[in-house]
Amino acid sequence: MKKIDVRGYRFSYVDEGHGNAVVFVHGSALDLRYWNDVVGELSRSFRCIALSRRHHWPVPPNVVPSTYSAIEQTEDVVSFLEALQLGRVHLVGHSYGGYLRARIAAQRPDLLKSLTLVEPGGKIAGMETARSLAEFQQEALELIENGDNRGGVAAYLNSVCGEGEWQKSPVELQQISLANVNSVQLQMQDKSRPPLTEDLLAQIECPTLVMVGTRSPSPFPETAKRCAEIIDDCKLEFIQDSSHLINVDKFDAFIGILKRFFSTRF
């Protein structure tokens, strides 16, 4: 694991393989280890980089917990890409990471060869969804604040994956999510996160791939479908029998789709 100081924070990341750079950004309650198997497979053909976002494992020593800001996290990734001098990259983001990557693609097209949004988080401003996550995530926040970290993390991830999905997930993934309980608490306290907008998504110019699981709960299917309708050069892929954590649920399908996207478009 490597370290780099960017914008006053020491970020941890992995950097494996050679060739065109693919940069992976994880979602909520996760960290760079979420991509371990993906990096292990794709680094045979690409230079694969995965970073842990601010406030996620391993938090640098002596860092005082502070506010969780989507704007700050977006700027973090931009500065990280610039610091590594990667040129244009294939940028892959999952959930909250997909939300951030969409903002980067719209604002800094000079940094991207392509964009992959894996179940992009949240909803698009003005869009109707079948379900709101607010009630479920408030329950998760209260559990964590009352000292029940395991219950809080389970409630949070079940809210985005489906009831009982966290309990069925691999032990390694449960351990990763528990190691990021503080980031969950900080994120859910953030009331300033700007939603994705149709105008912002319409600014994305690079080839884009959107993935969504057929078992994924609302609002992720609605958001994924609308992203694919708005972004000009966009392919939408449905992953059969997968919930929100697609590369965990259906690893082979996830890898195969990514490889085909990269090989046919570049």
Side-chain angles (χ1 to χ4, degrees):
M1 191 163 59
K2 299 183 177 182
K3 309 281 185 179
I4 188 170
D5 292 323
V6 176
R7 303 185 68 247
Y9 190 90
R10 176 155 291 187
F11 289 88
S12 298
Y13 69 103
V14 294
D15 187 347
E16 298 181 12
H18 302 279
N20 291 327
V22 184
V23 179
F24 297 92
V25 184
H26 62 81
S28 304
L30 301 168
D31 58 58
L32 63 83
R33 296 173 293 174
Y34 177 69
W35 301 109
N36 279 352
D37 291 345
V38 175
V39 169
E41 175 65 28
L42 287 182
S43 60
R44 301 175 185 179
S45 304
F46 300 93
R47 180 182 177 186
C48 293
I49 299 165
L51 81 155
S52 281
R53 296 192 281 111
R54 186 183 294 261
H55 303 310
H56 292 253
W57 178 94
V59 177
N62 304 319
V63 169
V64 178
S66 59
T67 56
Y68 200 101
S69 163
I71 300 300
E72 179 177 58
Q73 299 249 344
T74 300
E75 293 171 351
D76 283 345
V77 178
V78 168
S79 296
F80 175 81
L81 295 174
E82 291 176 334
L84 290 186
Q85 299 181 337
L86 298 171
R88 292 179 181 267
V89 305
H90 300 294
L91 195 57
V92 180
H94 169 250
S95 194
Y96 192 98
Y99 159 83
L100 297 175
R101 302 299 70 77
R103 300 190 66 84
I104 292 170
Q107 297 167 5
R108 290 296 305 272
D110 58 301
L111 296 175
L112 273 64
K113 283 185 178 179
S114 76
L115 174 67
T116 298
L117 304 177
V118 186
E119 297 246 331
K123 68 176 187 177
I124 300 166
M127 183 183 71
E128 294 294 328
T129 62
R131 174 174 172 266
S132 171
L133 298 177
E135 177 183 347
F136 302 97
Q137 296 185 352
Q138 181 60 35
E139 174 192 355
L141 179 59
E142 291 173 0
L143 286 167
I144 294 170
E145 289 177 338
N146 289 326
D148 185 359
N149 289 347
R150 188 175 185 86
V153 167
Y156 180 84
L157 284 176
N158 284 338
S159 76
V160 297
C161 296
E163 188 59 37
E165 289 291 325
W166 187 81
Q167 289 82 354
K168 295 187 295 184
S169 66
V171 172
E172 293 82 2
L173 185 112
Q174 293 184 17
Q175 293 171 339
I176 289 171
S177 58
L178 285 168
N180 287 284
V181 64
N182 290 337
S183 72
V184 175
Q185 186 175 16
L186 287 170
Q187 180 185 320
M188 288 189 293
Q189 292 170 340
D190 176 22
K191 306 302 181 185
S192 63
R193 173 178 165 181
L196 292 176
T197 65
E198 294 192 357
D199 286 345
L200 182 141
L201 292 169
Q203 295 175 41
I204 297 174
E205 299 176 350
C206 64
T208 300
L209 169 66
V210 177
M211 293 194 209
V212 60
T214 58
R215 291 194 295 107
S216 196
S218 177
F220 298 104
E222 297 99 318
T223 298
K225 292 173 187 176
R226 189 65 185 129
C227 284
E229 291 170 351
I230 297 169
I231 299 171
D232 185 51
D233 185 3
C234 185
K235 181 175 179 57
L236 177 63
E237 291 276 4
F238 292 93
I239 315 301
Q240 296 300 313
D241 198 30
S242 174
S243 185
H244 188 55
L245 306 179
I246 291 176
N247 54 293
V248 174
D249 289 344
K250 295 294 177 181
F251 178 79
D252 290 343
F254 178 84
I255 291 293
I257 290 169
L258 268 188
K259 285 182 175 179
R260 285 194 297 274
F261 176 60
F262 294 154
S263 65
T264 58
R265 298 304 305 269
F266 305 95

